Amino acid sequence: MLLREVAYARPASLAEAVELLAANDGARALAGGQTLINVMKARAGSPDALIDLSALEELKGIELGTDGTLEIGAMTTYTELVQSSEARARPILGEVCAQIADVQVRNRGTIGGNICTNDPTNHLPPLLAALGAEMTIHGAGGDRTVTAQDFFLGVYMTAVGAGELLTKIRIPAGRADGFAAVTLGVEGTCIVSAAASLNGSVKIALGCVDAVPVVLELASDDEAAVRAAVASATLDPPSDVHASSEYRTHLAEVLAVRAVAQAAKNRS
Ligand SMILES: Cc1cc2nc3c(=O)[nH]c(=O)nc-3n(C[C@H](O)[C@H](O)[C@H](O)COP(=O)(O)OP(=O)(O)OC[C@H]3O[C@@H](n4cnc5c(N)ncnc54)[C@H](O)[C@@H]3O)c2cc1C
């Protein structure tokens, strides 16, 4: 047997989905299934019930405001972000989503699932942290909005509580962004990643060096300042079969410089 028996529901409204999640501690939201189903197949997780979000119109769509702000539904897939003309207002989004895994994963995987997983090797947590995204979370008490920095709490842990769903991600206007990663092969998992945003301030977010993206705010975007900021962050990343802690620390500096250089190029 591939999976143990699991209940399944496909609610037609956000209210119904939240009610189902709140009623059962063992229920889990199912978005693209590209992490959750694999976790279940590996017997690393075993929810009692899957609450499929695929029919929830409230979690879909990409809206571009007149001020350039993007509002992206949590169920938006990577492929939709790559192809959307609205998302091109913040081109780095499509550029990074196009680097995630393969076509099958990109067609099913969602922006909401990616950040709710908060796997430190995922591409989107550091990117959304650097872009200054805000997340809307819906529960029985209504909506609440948290910044990216308050959203990512630990490995596989976010501000989305029991009985709640991430509904949308708001990204402010801007184009001066960059992203750089060293991955396991082409389209592979990140060993270290860095995202940079130079829209009004200088912000860098480093991925794979801690449980949550490490966000650095700088006064200057020159290379020496970037190197000094990463060095003074006293990173202590884990060592594993792919990279030692020292190598990850070295990559963080190199990739931060590359991400900032790309962001500076996109500014001009
Ligand atoms: C072969 C392979 C390679 C991959 N490589 C990469 C990679 O290089 N970079 C990368 O970033 N990712 C990678 N991934 C992961 C992929 O991007 C997943 O799509 C993503 O991690 C989860 O998104 P999902 O929509 O599939 O979510 P699901 O797997 O359905 O859900 C993941 C978790 O998020 C929760 N969740 C989902 N949506 C919500 C919501 N709206 N509100 C609250 N909780 C929610 C679920 O309950 C579950 O716990 C890879 C996956 C595969 C299979």
Side-chain angles (χ1 to χ4, degrees), residues 21 28-38 53 59 74-75 78 99-102 105 108-117 119 121-125 160 164-167 183 187-190:
L21 285 166
R28 292 290 173 270
L30 176 67
Q34 298 304 294
T35 293
L36 184 53
I37 298 297
N38 287 332
L53 308 181
L59 270 57
M75 283 296 283
Y78 309 130
Q99 297 168 30
I100 295 177
D102 51 40
V105 172
R108 298 285 311 174
T110 64
I111 185 171
N114 191 298
I115 63 171
C116 285
T117 303
D119 181 325
T121 68
N122 273 4
H123 284 63
L124 298 187
V160 182
E164 293 186 321
L165 283 172
L166 171 70
T167 55
T183 59
E187 298 180 328
T189 305
C190 298

Side-chain angles (χ1 to χ4, degrees), residues 1-213:
M1 192 173 65
L2 190 59
L3 299 177
R4 103 165 154 90
E5 202 168 304
V6 58
Y8 172 85
R10 192 163 180 259
S13 71
L14 180 58
E16 194 190 337
V18 165
E19 219 170 273
L20 286 166
L21 285 166
N24 183 350
D25 277 354
R28 292 290 173 270
L30 176 67
Q34 298 304 294
T35 293
L36 184 53
I37 298 297
N38 287 332
V39 162
M40 292 167 67
K41 280 157 73 177
R43 300 277 198 274
S46 183
D48 298 327
L50 293 177
I51 311 302
D52 184 346
L53 308 181
S54 62
L56 302 183
E57 292 306 319
E58 297 98 322
L59 270 57
K60 293 184 187 166
I62 304 172
E63 279 178 31
L64 177 60
T66 48
D67 62 352
T69 300
L70 279 170
E71 281 203 354
I72 303 171
M75 283 296 283
T76 304
T77 65
Y78 309 130
T79 299
E80 285 165 346
L81 279 163
V82 171
Q83 294 176 348
S84 152
S85 53
E86 286 83 7
R88 268 177 220 134
R90 200 93 205 221
I92 197 74
L93 278 171
E95 283 168 34
V96 173
C97 286
Q99 297 168 30
I100 295 177
D102 51 40
V103 173
Q104 283 171 302
V105 172
R106 293 197 288 271
N107 283 346
R108 298 285 311 174
T110 64
I111 185 171
N114 191 298
I115 63 171
C116 285
T117 303
N118 195 26
D119 181 325
T121 68
N122 273 4
H123 284 63
L124 298 187
L127 179 65
L128 295 194
L131 300 189
E134 286 180 350
M135 326 306 182
T136 301
I137 297 169
H138 183 84
D143 281 348
R144 63 195 174 92
T145 300
V146 298
T147 62
Q149 240 157 317
D150 291 333
F151 184 83
F152 301 112
L153 300 181
V155 179
Y156 309 135
M157 285 167 58
T158 70
V160 182
E164 293 186 321
L165 283 172
L166 171 70
T167 55
K168 65 183 174 204
I169 296 117
R170 186 178 171 279
I171 299 177
R175 298 184 80 85
D177 307 312
F179 184 87
V182 168
T183 59
L184 294 172
V186 181
E187 298 180 328
T189 305
C190 298
I191 295 175
V192 174
S193 63
S197 177
L198 309 182
N199 299 283
S201 62
V202 181
K203 206 189 261 191
I204 299 170
L206 303 168
C208 316
V209 292
D210 208 333
V212 298

